[in-house]
């Protein structure tokens, strides 16, 4: 199994790069943001709860997020591995993910952090907000709130995986294809003989 985490602040390119990596490595893409938006679209109790946090730019509580992530992984056990996009965002989420993978005799192979300056992130998200219909993208105050939440609550995730020796930081500024090639090179470097790549 290959298990990758795409990490970085909102708008750093996680979802964009995950879509390309899924095709190349045949992994299952799990975006907690997308899962929440699916629940919101179906007006489920989970979706209504998540929306109350997301619309304010806050994190959805761990108790909700971890349960949802576990359900998604447990209902897709045939996958060659996973790309986690937007998860984990807190240390309890890191611990929950590690436990979930250990149950499958697996581990996180690599966390890739996409490093993008604040003003570029604001520009990208406001641009996306023109067409995405996402309430958290078309209000600069909420975008900046999300960035503060990232710095206060989420940056520690990088240190957690750095201590495990599996975190790298790359620049997320530039052509999408160029960034993708750098990510692929990091993935190839990190794979050991026991991992199976299906191209
Ligand atoms: P997410 O859905 O994860 O939102 P995101 O971080 O904005 O998306 P992403 O980072 O994937 O977008 P991308 O850069 O690819 O989370 C939304 C909310 O859900 C959170 O605020 C939180 O409330 C909640 N949530 C989600 N997960 C949670 C968790 N684990 N715990 C608690 N709460 C959670 O794209 C941005 C734009 O940049 C796009 O328009 C793209 O085209 C553009 N772009 C990408 N790469 C580019 C490049 N190289 N150059 C120029 N533009 C680029």
């Amino acid at each position: 199994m290959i298990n990758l985490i795409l990490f970085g602040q909102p708008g750093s390119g996680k979802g964009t790069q995950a879509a390309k990596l899924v095709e190349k490595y045949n992994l299952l893409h799990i975006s907690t943001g997308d899962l929440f938006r699916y629940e919101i679209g179906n007006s489920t109790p989970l979706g209504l709860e998540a929306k109350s946090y997301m619309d304010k730019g806050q994190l959805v509580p761990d108790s909700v997020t971890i349960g949802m992530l576990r359900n998604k992984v447990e209902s897709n056990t045939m996958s060659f591995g996973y790309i986690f996009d937007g998860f984990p965002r807190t240390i309890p989420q890191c611990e929950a993910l590690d436990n979930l993978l250990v149950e499958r005799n697996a581990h996180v192979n690599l966390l890739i952090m996409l490093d993008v300056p604040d003003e570029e992130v604001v520009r990208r998200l406001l641009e996306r907000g023109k067409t995405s219909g996402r309430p958290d993208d078309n209000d600069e105050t909420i975008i900046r709130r999300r960035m503060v939440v990232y710095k206060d609550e989420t940056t520690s995730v990088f240190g957690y995986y750095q201590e495990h020796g599996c975190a790298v930081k790359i620049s997320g500024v530039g052509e999408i294809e160029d960034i993708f090639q750098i990510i692929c090179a990091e993935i190839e470097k990190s794979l050991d003989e026991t991992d199976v790549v299906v191209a």
Side-chain angles (χ1 to χ4, degrees):
M1 276 183 99
I2 314 170
N3 296 295
L4 307 173
I5 298 173
L6 283 177
F7 185 74
Q9 64 172 332
S12 54
K14 304 183 295 287
T16 304
Q17 295 296 337
K20 294 172 73 67
L21 290 167
V22 162
E23 276 191 35
K24 181 168 166 97
Y25 293 104
N26 199 19
L27 303 173
L28 184 73
H29 176 201
I30 300 184
S31 157
T32 38
D34 286 350
L35 291 176
F36 286 134
R37 284 184 284 278
Y38 176 80
E39 299 286 339
I40 291 168
N42 287 296
S43 301
T44 65
L46 192 156
L48 293 176
E49 182 175 2
K51 184 171 169 38
S52 67
Y53 294 94
M54 291 168 75
D55 284 357
K56 287 183 271 187
Q58 296 170 350
L59 293 184
V60 180
D62 285 341
S63 53
V64 178
T65 307
I66 290 169
M68 181 183 70
L69 189 279
R70 179 172 274 276
N71 286 343
K72 182 71 182 175
V73 170
E74 287 179 346
S75 58
N76 289 280
T77 49
M78 295 304 283
S79 171
F80 289 111
Y82 304 92
I83 297 178
F84 297 99
D85 161 9
F87 185 95
R89 271 173 150 102
T90 64
I91 298 300
Q93 291 184 15
C94 296
E95 292 165 349
L97 177 60
D98 286 352
N99 290 337
L100 192 57
L101 293 176
V102 164
E103 288 168 21
R104 284 160 185 70
N105 293 318
H107 59 279
V108 170
N109 297 80
L110 185 64
L111 175 148
I112 298 161
M113 176 183 174
L114 297 168
D115 189 29
V116 178
D118 288 356
E119 294 316 308
E120 170 68 6
V121 160
V122 173
R123 190 194 65 74
R124 286 183 190 179
L125 293 182
L126 284 173
E127 187 61 32
R128 184 171 68 182
K130 289 178 190 168
T131 53
S132 69
R134 283 178 54 172
D136 58 344
D137 274 354
N138 57 21
D139 180 329
E140 187 168 338
T141 309
I142 295 172
I143 290 173
R144 291 195 183 274
R145 172 80 196 132
R146 289 160 66 194
M147 293 161 70
V148 170
V149 167
Y150 171 79
K151 288 183 176 86
D152 289 351
E153 301 181 42
T154 300
T155 45
S156 55
V157 167
F158 185 79
Y160 178 94
Y161 286 103
Q162 214 173 17
E163 278 179 23
H164 289 59
C166 62
V168 294
K169 176 156 83 169
I170 66 168
S171 172
V173 179
E175 294 297 323
I176 289 169
E177 183 59 29
D178 293 344
I179 297 166
F180 177 64
Q181 294 304 331
I182 294 169
I183 292 174
C184 292
E186 291 291 346
I187 292 171
E188 308 295 333
K189 254 196 276 175
S190 76
L191 296 178
D192 62 36
E193 290 166 358
T194 58
D195 295 313
V196 178
V197 182
V198 180

